[in-house]
Every structure is written in structure tokens, then in C-alpha cells.
């Protein structure tokens, strides 16, 4: 029995001394309590929650939650919820208030958010948030969000901090983008129907690290119409290593 106690204490000590982040998936669901026959308004969230390194994990978890508050809301301002259950309750509460105010109208609300650890190295932690929300109208809104962190501190990493020469990388990426989407080098970047602001190529708001390479991901409306869908460009690390500050 004494040996078992000692072994358990050793395992606990190793876990305490480890600086490696551990992620556990947590799930949250909420469905309206109002009567409905089918496709009842609901919201589902699955999200990776960091632990094992308290200060670092807390920083990451707070950032992830703040981003979900930007995604899950109805009205002019994000909800004031302090946790995921409160956030889901606020979303369904907005639906129920609207339904009670306008009982003759039909509102088929829906939200589905799924987060995952996309990539993890000593220098970069990348969490992907895949989201879809519908609160009325012709169609819902869906997209991907890339959250980049320093795994040693839990602090967010900006896209600018990824590159040792952002301008050079941008020029390289534009050539690759034009080649993929068959846009002539001597024509405007929007000459084939894209919608880049001010007729100039821009890097996307969301850049992902993956096992296959660096993914430049343009959500709907960022570079093209909703009908044309998102645009993406995957660049192998062999191609981009010289531009990357972090890997």
C-alpha cells in the first residue's frame, strides 16, 4: 500500500512540474423552452479548454471566451455573460423575447460553434473556431476564426508578429493567390470578380498553422461575395519558412 501511495505522489509531482498545456473539450447546449414542433431554436458549443498551467491556461481561456462573445450575440452589443452557460442563456433569451414580442412571426434561430486545437509547437499554439449562426434573414453567417497564442505565456500573437518581413511575404502570397485563382498579373486583383478593398490584395484576417503548411483563409465577404464563398491558399512550410518569424 505504501508503494502505491509513493507512486501516486510521484505522478502528481511530475504533473505539477510539467509546463505542457493540456486541453479538454467542454460542451454546452441550450434549446428554447417555448413550444415548437420541429427545428427548435438551439445553440451548441464545443470548445477546447486549457488547463495544467494555470496562468497560461487562464489567459488562453479568457481570450477564447471573448471571441465567442463576438460571435454569439443578437443586437447592437455583445452579451455581458461571464461564462458559457450564461452566453447560451442570453442567446436563447434573445430569441424568446423576440418570439413573445412578435408571436405571429417565425424565427428559426440556430448556432453551432466548434473549437479545436489546430496546431501546437514550442513557439505557436493555434486554436480554430468554426462557427455558424442564424438569427433570421436569407441565410446564416458562417466562418472560421484563427486564434494564435504563445504557448509559454498564453498571450495572443498578432498576424504581424508571424513574419520577419510582412511586405515581402504579402507580395509572395499575392503571386500564389493570383496563380491559384487565375488572375492575370497585369490586371486588378478584382478583375475576375473578387472584392478586395481598394482593389488591392490583402492578407486575410485569419491565418492558420497546420501540419501541411500555412493556410491563408478569407471568410465570406472578406475577398468575395457570400455566393462565391470563402477563399483559401495553402502554402507549404518549404515555401514560407524564410518569411516566418515563428514556427
Amino acid at each position: 500500500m505504501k508503494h502505491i501511495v509513493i507512486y501516486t505522489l510521484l505522478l502528481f509531482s511530475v504533473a505539477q512540474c510539467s509546463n505542457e498545456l493540456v486541453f479538454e473539450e467542454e460542451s454546452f447546449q441550450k434549446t428554447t423552452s417555448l413550444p415548437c414542433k420541429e427545428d427548435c431554436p438551439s445553440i451548441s458549443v464545443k470548445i477546447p479548454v486549457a488547463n495544467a498551467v494555470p496562468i497560461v491556461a487562464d489567459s488562453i481561456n479568457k481570450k477564447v471566451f471573448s471571441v465567442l462573445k463576438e460571435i454569439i450575440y443578437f443586437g447592437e452589443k455583445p452579451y455581458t455573460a461571464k461564462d458559457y452557460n450564461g452566453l447560451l442563456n442570453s442567446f436563447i433569451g434573445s430569441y424568446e423575447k423576440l418570439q413573445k414580442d412578435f408571436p405571429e412571426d417565425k424565427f428559426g434561430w440556430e448556432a453551432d460553434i466548434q473549437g479545436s486545437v489546430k496546431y501546437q509547437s514550442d513557439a505557436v499554439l493555434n486554436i480554430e473556431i468554426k462557427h455558424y449562426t442564424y438569427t433570421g434573414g436569407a441565410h446564416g453567417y458562417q466562418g472560421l476564426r484563427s486564434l494564435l497564442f504563445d504557448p509559454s505565456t498564453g498571450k495572443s500573437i498578432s498576424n504581424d508578429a508571424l513574419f520577419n518581413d510582412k511586405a515581402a511575404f504579402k507580395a509572395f502570397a499575392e503571386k500564389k493567390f493570383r496563380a491559384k485563382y487565375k488572375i492575370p498579373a497585369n490586371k486588378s486583383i478584382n478583375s475576375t470578380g473578387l472584392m478586395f478593398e481598394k482593389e488591392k490584395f490583402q492578407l486575410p484576417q485569419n491565418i492558420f498553422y497546420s501540419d501541411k503548411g500555412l493556410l491563408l483563409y478569407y471568410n465570406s465577404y472578406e475577398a468575395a461575395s457570400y455566393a462565391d464563398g470563402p477563399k483559401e491558399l495553402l502554402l507549404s512550410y518549404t515555401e514560407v519558412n524564410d518569411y516566418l518569424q515563428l514556427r
Side-chain angles (χ1 to χ4, degrees), residues 37-204:
K37 294 181 180 180
E38 57 183 16
D39 297 328
C40 297
S42 64
I43 178 171
S44 173
V45 171
K46 292 182 181 178
I47 210 76
V49 177
N51 54 41
V53 188
I55 295 176
V56 176
D58 186 58
S59 178
I60 293 170
N61 293 334
K62 284 183 177 178
K63 177 60 178 180
V64 173
F65 181 66
S66 71
V67 169
L68 261 69
K69 288 180 70 175
E70 296 172 7
I71 295 171
I72 304 170
Y73 75 94
F74 179 77
E76 297 181 357
K77 296 181 180 179
Y79 299 124
T80 58
K82 303 298 183 183
D83 56 32
Y84 286 106
N85 284 318
L87 189 56
L88 271 64
N89 287 337
S90 296
F91 181 79
I92 294 299
S94 291
Y95 160 76
E96 293 180 346
K97 181 180 185 304
L98 198 64
Q99 184 65 71
K100 289 176 180 177
D101 290 343
F102 303 95
E104 300 303 318
D105 294 335
K106 302 299 179 184
F107 305 98
W109 282 28
E110 179 186 358
D112 183 22
I113 290 85
Q114 298 183 30
S116 62
V117 176
K118 184 82 172 179
Y119 180 91
Q120 189 171 5
S121 70
D122 291 339
V124 178
L125 167 69
N126 192 184
I127 293 178
E128 175 189 278
I129 307 295
K130 183 179 181 181
H131 59 89
Y132 172 80
T133 54
Y134 177 76
T135 54
H139 53 73
Y141 179 73
Q142 60 186 342
L144 298 179
R145 291 285 295 270
S146 174
L147 308 183
L148 298 164
F149 300 96
D150 180 336
S152 65
T153 64
K155 293 183 178 180
S156 295
I157 299 174
S158 68
N159 286 351
D160 289 348
L162 301 180
F163 308 105
N164 50 43
D165 188 338
K166 184 181 176 183
F169 175 76
K170 181 180 173 183
F172 167 78
E174 180 173 357
K175 289 181 181 179
K176 290 290 185 177
F177 187 92
R178 284 177 176 271
K180 177 176 180 178
Y181 290 103
K182 297 179 173 57
I183 305 170
N186 61 345
K187 299 287 187 179
S188 162
I189 192 69
N190 291 343
S191 62
T192 59
L194 295 179
M195 299 170 57
F196 280 97
E197 190 174 351
K198 297 180 180 179
E199 299 276 333
K200 292 184 179 180
F201 175 82
Q202 298 294 336
L203 295 177

Side-chain angles (χ1 to χ4, degrees), residues 21-32:
L21 286 169
V22 177
F23 288 88
E24 296 180 358
E25 184 182 86
E26 293 192 9
S27 298
F28 306 87
Q29 291 88 30
K30 179 74 175 179
T31 303
T32 180

Side-chain angles (χ1 to χ4, degrees), residues 168-242:
F169 175 76
K170 181 180 173 183
F172 167 78
E174 180 173 357
K175 289 181 181 179
K176 290 290 185 177
F177 187 92
R178 284 177 176 271
K180 177 176 180 178
Y181 290 103
K182 297 179 173 57
I183 305 170
N186 61 345
K187 299 287 187 179
S188 162
I189 192 69
N190 291 343
S191 62
T192 59
L194 295 179
M195 299 170 57
F196 280 97
E197 190 174 351
K198 297 180 180 179
E199 299 276 333
K200 292 184 179 180
F201 175 82
Q202 298 294 336
L203 295 177
Q205 296 173 14
N206 295 280
I207 298 175
F208 292 90
Y209 282 73
S210 74
D211 292 337
K212 295 181 179 179
L214 200 69
L215 177 66
L216 308 186
Y217 191 89
Y218 298 84
N219 282 300
S220 296
Y221 300 119
E222 193 175 351
S225 67
Y226 180 86
D228 287 335
K231 303 298 178 185
E232 59 182 70
L233 179 66
L234 180 64
L235 303 168
S236 71
Y237 290 119
T238 302
E239 296 176 285
V240 301
N241 268 339
D242 289 344

